[in-house]
Amino acid sequence: MDRRTDDDVLDAVGARLRALRRDRGLTLADVSATTGVSESTLSRLESGQRRATLELLLPLSRTYDVPLDDLVGAPRTGDPRIHLKPVTRFGMTFVPLSRRPGGVHAFKMIIPARPDPAEPTPQTHEGFEWLYVLSGRLRLLVGERDLTLSPGEAAEFDTSLPHWLGSADGDTVELLVLFGLQGVRAHLRTGPRAGRDRP
């Protein structure tokens, strides 16, 4: 049971807003231009010098594309179900699997089937990405490398390198993606295989 008081919840909003803004690589000026909230007000909100109000949180919720409950860290109300809201970008569907602002974000990504191969359009941005192919064959371009990954294969790369994801054969591809800022990497540990590490 969540025993935090309303004051505890509201006091934590500032740090959450700062983490969201930094996670998206935005400045106070960027957020101010999008929301119409002054930079000084945003700064006071993030530092905890100003108490969050619904009037201030609604435009921030839209800008950060985060549900209002998640923005304020409101206590859960007993229903254990998670209502995932898919987002479509660049012709692909992203299903967010993590809800915590900042840190590493987890997504299920679906690249739909198409009759003609997509033309690669490599992008760069700050961060580090780890992906795992669930089904289909993924074409992954990273820098000068052109790779094809099958189900069960994983890759990780620095997103400051030009990169692009697409279907290798035009069929649907489903994968899990972990994305974090620079310095945040995924580590996979497995036990020794049978027959190995024996004297």
Side-chain angles (χ1 to χ4, degrees):
M1 181 175 178
D2 196 320
R3 298 186 181 277
R4 292 175 300 164
T5 66
D6 290 347
D7 283 341
D8 292 334
V9 171
L10 291 172
D11 287 345
V13 171
R16 190 171 287 107
L17 290 173
R18 184 183 295 109
L20 278 167
R21 178 175 60 78
R22 289 179 175 172
D23 186 52
R24 284 154 175 73
L26 299 173
T27 65
L28 288 171
D30 295 331
V31 178
S32 178
T34 305
T35 62
V37 179
S38 72
E39 288 182 54
S40 62
T41 298
L42 292 170
S43 178
R44 293 200 312 273
L45 275 173
E46 290 187 1
S47 66
Q49 295 175 359
R50 175 158 182 172
R51 184 59 61 95
T53 64
L54 189 59
E55 181 182 11
L56 293 171
L57 291 176
L58 282 174
L60 290 168
S61 174
R62 285 192 291 269
T63 295
Y64 295 138
D65 194 24
V66 172
L68 197 56
D69 282 354
D70 291 350
L71 194 63
V72 299
R76 302 281 175 213
T77 56
D79 186 344
R81 293 174 296 178
I82 297 174
H83 303 284
L84 303 175
K85 295 182 180 177
V87 176
T88 300
R89 291 183 183 148
F90 315 114
M92 297 176 281
T93 301
F94 297 83
V95 182
L97 302 177
S98 59
R99 300 165 61 89
R100 187 172 152 265
V104 176
H105 293 271
F107 299 90
K108 179 178 181 183
M109 180 175 168
I110 303 167
I111 302 172
R114 51 182 297 161
D116 301 315
E119 185 66 31
T121 53
Q123 306 288 327
T124 62
H125 51 87
E126 183 181 359
F128 209 88
E129 196 162 300
W130 179 91
L131 53 85
Y132 177 87
V133 180
L134 296 169
S135 65
R137 297 177 69 242
L138 176 73
R139 183 180 178 195
L140 171 64
L141 303 182
V142 179
E144 300 297 319
R145 304 195 69 167
D146 190 339
L147 308 167
T148 299
L149 280 70
S150 298
E153 291 190 287
E156 64 177 350
F157 54 92
D158 186 332
T159 56
S160 66
L161 294 171
H163 61 281
W164 178 83
L165 308 174
S167 174
D169 53 18
D171 290 338
T172 301
V173 182
E174 296 188 9
L175 56 151
L176 295 178
V177 178
L178 298 180
F179 173 77
L181 293 178
Q182 286 291 0
V184 180
R185 297 181 64 167
H187 298 280
L188 180 64
R189 291 184 174 86
T190 60
R193 294 181 184 174
R196 300 188 68 178
D197 299 326
R198 292 181 181 173

